[in-house]
Amino acid sequence: MLKLSNMFSMKQGVTTGYSQIAIVKKIKRQKVHLLLLLPFIAFIIIFKYIPMYGSLLAFREFSYRTPFGGDWVGLQYFKSFFNSPDFGYIMRNTVVISSLSLVFSTLAAILFAILICEVRNAAYKKIIQTVSYLPHFISWVVVAGMAMTILSIDELAPVNSLLLHLHLIDKPINFLGEADHFWPMVTGLNVWKNIGWNSIIYIAAIMSIDKQMYESAVIDGASRYKQIIHITLPTIMPTIILLFTFGVGYILNAGLDQQLFLQNPMNIRSSEVLDTYVLKYGLQQAAYSYGAAVGLFKSVVGIVLIVVCNYVCRKFLKMGIF
Amino acid sequence: MKLFKGERLFHVFNNLFLLLIGFLAAFPFWNILIMSFNEGRDAMRGSIYFWPRKFSLEAYAAIFNESSLMHATYISIMRTVWGTLLGLLCTAVLAYLLANRELILRRSMLFFFIFTMYFSGGLIPEFMLIKELNLYNSFLVYIVPAAINVWNVMVMRQFFEDLPPSLAESARIDGASELRTLASIILPMSTPVLATIALMIGVQQWTTWFDTYMFTSGTKELATLQGVLVNILMESQIQSMDPVQASRLEQSGSILTPEVIKMATITITTIPIVMVYPFLQKYFVGGLTVGAVKG
């Protein structure tokens, strides 16, 4: 997943100083190679670049005769989105939900990685790790189905009955049916689903730290806690910052599934995000041009954020993803 | 190494804390599993946490008798098998072609592919495209658009680039064709990355519901297990908020409730994944972190 510094670096293989004849020779030599590449290029053009062209529908009136719209209407649909009463709270929800998820998932994964690396019993370590990956492999449909049962308002449902027994609450919490509980709940579920999987990269980074650093720290009398603060954390910090910065780049992707399945009329003011909005207005209500405008807005802001984040990482960390 | 007293205490707490995390990760699965084996009306009384109270296979019997659910299972299996095979084949070939450092216009070529990872046309134009290509309401819509995931291609390309180039070189000198080199030299050495990518594609195919929802009109022939689960979930949510429905259920006297059917369906969709991923663990952990350590 993450070849941190040079996975996408395109600095290798730059061809300079070739004469035309050499290029022709090269093409001839790579004839089979290039022929094999053609179907893939065609595939990408059809399934990726044509929809990009199609997003111009945002500037056009929808028509049944041409797939990507007819008459040009300029910025009309963008204006109506920005001026609509929905714009404010949808942007707020999108940014808040993905920021909460990013911050807490990152912290949880780092903590989990540090603690699991301290375990001495290899079998125990392996079992905990394996179990921790489990939630990553299931769909949000399943997570939502589980959440509805386990977080149910019923005072005999697992979480509420536990909290009641511990006298932490007086009456059952309506996790699913109250707008105020949506953000904490969905953040909790995001952390639950991602903690194991996200820790893989941090565990690898910790394992690659030179053991001698710890040994000399022990000789100097550093405690376990001091070792974590002064050796482990600083060494994996570049990895953390890089992944975090790119998380910021994806801030408008709050995720479609979790919001859609956990959404209901009671919590809609806290749970509607850009993706669910496009689905509802753009497709279900067939406001195609409007939906395309919202989608294009999201894509453009997304790529600007990614380029900026990459620039920041390159400048300050001397690493980036492209 | 001798442990200080504080150290030992730390290890005890650490192990207990991790046990708690493991428990939190696994408990929901266990809870759903045992609920699905409990009698439906009895389960509505609640407080079933670790073990079924009234054991019953009714929910599974109902599911296996319901032909639409069996068909959905069949479609899910088919799309996972064919989707993974096609996806893995395309990913491997494309990754191999792009891993060639001598490739003409390599930088532009890579940009052409990588750009699509960060910018997309969005939902609506994709929907229009699928309709234009006549893929709407066809089984192919499950496997063709998903055949190439550029992200996976880049992971595999990185792996291929890290293999010693002399291997492919010597095969070419011996007169082996491109695909021959890939099949007989490169792929046998690439088990970790192949297993990782196969798992990624397979899980994606098995768990996605979105293409069923977007690109089919909801016909029974193309319904997948996840799609059925979404419907059950939506219905049970509406029912739980509707007192009329609930009381009707109360009076009907059936021991089955939509709730246990939901649990059983969740269990059926989850079990195949639980059975597979622990065995691929060593591959995907290695496959994912190959770059992190060096980078």
Side-chain angles (χ1 to χ4, degrees):
Chain A
M1 176 168 73
L2 299 149
K3 174 73 180 180
L4 292 179
S5 61
N6 55 358
M7 175 166 170
F8 304 118
S9 119
M10 283 170 273
K11 295 212 171 77
Q12 314 123 335
V14 185
T15 51
T16 43
Y18 277 85
S19 72
Q20 256 181 328
I21 297 160
I23 290 175
V24 172
K25 262 190 187 162
K26 206 172 167 186
I27 292 177
K28 270 192 181 154
R29 195 151 38 95
Q30 296 188 355
K31 199 170 54 187
V32 183
H33 209 104
L34 293 171
L35 275 175
L36 282 171
L37 260 175
L38 272 181
F40 293 105
I41 292 173
F43 180 96
I44 294 289
I45 289 177
I46 292 171
F47 285 102
K48 305 285 181 190
Y49 283 91
I50 289 184
M52 283 182 210
Y53 165 75
S55 61
L56 293 179
L57 175 60
F59 304 99
R60 307 170 84 166
E61 207 64 72
F62 176 72
S63 123
Y64 282 98
R65 271 166 300 141
T66 45
F68 300 128
D71 296 336
W72 295 87
V73 294
L75 294 171
Q76 182 193 321
Y77 290 107
F78 289 92
K79 277 183 194 149
S80 59
F81 174 53
F82 296 141
N83 293 330
S84 87
D86 303 330
F87 178 75
Y89 80 91
I90 286 170
M91 286 308 287
R92 180 200 66 190
N93 291 344
T94 308
V95 172
V96 169
I97 289 173
S98 53
S99 310
L100 284 173
S101 163
L102 174 65
V103 170
F104 285 99
S105 295
T106 305
L107 288 177
I110 295 166
L111 181 70
F112 180 68
I114 290 175
L115 293 182
I116 200 113
C117 287
E118 299 288 338
V119 173
R120 282 146 182 280
N121 184 330
Y124 184 68
K125 186 173 171 180
K126 178 121 198 244
I127 291 170
I128 296 288
Q129 266 185 286
T130 307
V131 172
S132 76
Y133 303 146
L134 182 52
H136 172 80
F137 290 107
I138 56 166
S139 61
W140 273 106
V141 189
V142 170
V143 177
M146 287 176 168
M148 283 175 196
T149 303
I150 288 169
L151 299 175
S152 157
I153 187 175
D154 190 335
E155 54 188 66
L156 294 171
V159 171
N160 270 320
S161 83
L162 180 71
L163 293 177
L164 284 169
H165 270 290
L166 294 174
H167 296 290
L168 291 170
I169 52 173
D170 301 327
K171 55 181 176 52
I173 300 177
N174 190 2
F175 289 103
L176 293 144
E178 266 175 47
D180 288 347
H181 292 141
F182 189 81
W183 292 346
M185 177 184 69
V186 88
T187 307
L189 291 173
N190 273 317
V191 170
W192 178 76
K193 202 168 186 300
N194 295 327
I195 182 170
W197 189 257
N198 289 358
S199 71
I200 292 179
I201 200 92
Y202 296 116
I203 292 173
I206 295 173
M207 294 308 233
S208 68
I209 298 174
D210 193 348
K211 293 286 168 294
Q212 287 180 352
M213 299 218 314
Y214 291 108
E215 280 161 21
S216 53
V218 169
I219 291 167
D220 291 343
S223 66
R224 176 86 23 194
Y225 174 74
K226 283 250 163 78
Q227 289 172 37
I228 290 171
I229 295 292
H230 295 291
I231 301 175
T232 312
L233 275 179
T235 323
I236 64 172
M237 198 47 90
T239 311
I240 297 173
I241 295 175
L242 188 76
L243 292 183
F244 191 84
T245 319
F246 276 91
V248 174
Y250 285 102
I251 209 89
L252 291 190
N253 286 319
L256 173 69
D257 300 22
Q258 56 266 58
Q259 270 67 246
L260 197 64
F261 297 136
L262 294 167
Q263 201 167 68
N264 54 48
M266 279 92 78
N267 64 22
I268 192 88
R269 289 291 293 190
S270 301
S271 61
E272 190 84 291
V273 295
L274 279 172
D275 286 323
T276 55
Y277 189 72
V278 172
L279 195 68
K280 275 181 204 159
Y281 285 83
L283 274 181
Q284 289 171 356
Q285 302 193 13
Y288 295 119
S289 296
Y290 186 68
V294 180
L296 186 60
F297 163 73
K298 187 187 153 217
S299 290
V300 169
V301 175
I303 195 143
V304 170
L305 280 174
I306 298 222
V307 170
V308 169
C309 290
N310 189 57
Y311 175 78
V312 171
C313 277
R314 277 242 171 270
K315 192 157 166 93
F316 296 105
L317 283 175
K318 307 277 178 271
M319 63 204 304
I321 57 170
F322 46 75
Chain B
M1 200 168 77
K2 201 171 144 268
L3 292 177
F4 300 107
K5 201 176 171 197
E7 291 260 296
R8 198 168 296 147
L9 204 63
F10 168 81
H11 281 291
V12 170
F13 275 111
N14 189 24
N15 286 347
L16 284 177
F17 182 72
L18 290 171
L19 192 66
L20 179 70
I21 291 186
F23 172 78
L24 289 178
F27 174 74
F29 293 91
W30 180 253
N31 190 245
I32 297 293
L33 178 74
I34 58 122
M35 289 255 243
S36 73
F37 284 110
N38 201 42
E39 206 176 72
R41 277 173 71 83
D42 180 65
M44 280 171 74
R45 281 171 42 216
S47 38
I48 298 173
Y49 307 120
F50 298 102
W51 208 247
R53 190 164 46 214
K54 271 194 185 170
F55 186 82
S56 158
L57 289 170
E58 291 285 335
Y60 291 94
I63 288 178
F64 288 113
N65 281 327
E66 174 81 43
S67 64
S68 65
L69 261 165
M70 289 316 283
H71 187 72
T73 312
Y74 168 76
I75 294 289
S76 282
I77 293 173
M78 289 310 272
R79 68 170 294 176
T80 305
V81 169
W82 288 114
T84 309
L85 287 176
L86 181 71
L88 197 59
L89 179 75
C90 291
T91 309
V93 173
L94 180 56
Y96 174 70
L97 295 172
L98 291 177
N100 185 343
R101 285 171 201 276
E102 305 283 301
L103 184 66
I104 274 187
L105 296 174
R106 188 165 192 268
R107 286 187 66 164
S108 322
M109 217 66 107
L110 285 176
F111 181 81
F112 172 80
F113 284 97
I114 288 172
F115 182 68
T116 66
M117 287 165 59
Y118 299 105
F119 192 82
S120 80
L123 207 59
I124 309 286
E126 271 166 35
F127 175 74
M128 301 293 167
L129 176 76
I130 296 294
K131 284 217 149 173
E132 273 308 288
L133 293 174
N134 278 328
L135 284 171
Y136 193 81
N137 262 344
S138 121
F139 179 74
L140 288 178
V141 82
Y142 290 152
I143 55 173
V144 172
I148 298 174
N149 177 331
V150 179
W151 187 259
N152 289 341
V153 172
M154 291 305 142
V155 172
M156 207 182 274
R157 188 201 101 206
Q158 187 64 51
F159 187 91
F160 290 162
E161 278 182 4
D162 290 345
L163 292 174
S166 53
L167 286 167
E169 216 43 61
S170 62
R172 264 185 225 115
I173 290 164
D174 290 347
S177 67
E178 290 285 351
L179 290 178
R180 183 81 192 265
T181 314
L182 175 65
S184 57
I185 310 281
I186 306 291
L187 290 188
M189 298 182 65
S190 309
T191 329
V193 77
L194 290 174
T196 309
I197 301 299
L199 179 74
M200 302 278 206
I201 302 175
V203 168
Q204 174 66 24
Q205 284 283 358
W206 181 258
T207 57
T208 190
W209 64 283
F210 195 61
D211 43 16
T212 314
Y213 177 79
M214 280 274 289
F215 305 134
T216 74
S217 56
T219 54
K220 282 226 155 64
E221 288 82 60
L222 289 172
T224 59
L225 214 42
Q226 301 285 342
V228 171
L229 195 55
V230 172
N231 292 341
I232 294 179
L233 207 67
M234 295 300 182
E235 271 168 31
S236 73
Q237 206 179 6
I238 293 165
Q239 275 172 357
S240 69
M241 281 187 274
D242 181 358
V244 182
Q245 283 271 9
S247 70
R248 193 179 299 154
L249 199 73
E250 199 75 25
Q251 286 156 9
S252 71
S254 157
I255 54 166
L256 271 175
T257 59
E259 193 68 4
V260 287
I261 300 275
K262 184 180 98 184
M263 309 288 175
T265 316
I266 290 181
T267 306
I268 292 174
T269 61
T270 311
I271 279 179
I273 293 176
V274 176
M275 307 256 271
V276 172
Y277 90 89
F279 301 100
L280 294 172
Q281 189 182 340
K282 66 170 182 213
Y283 295 124
F284 68 72
V285 170
L288 282 183
T289 52
V290 59
V293 182
K294 286 194 322 190

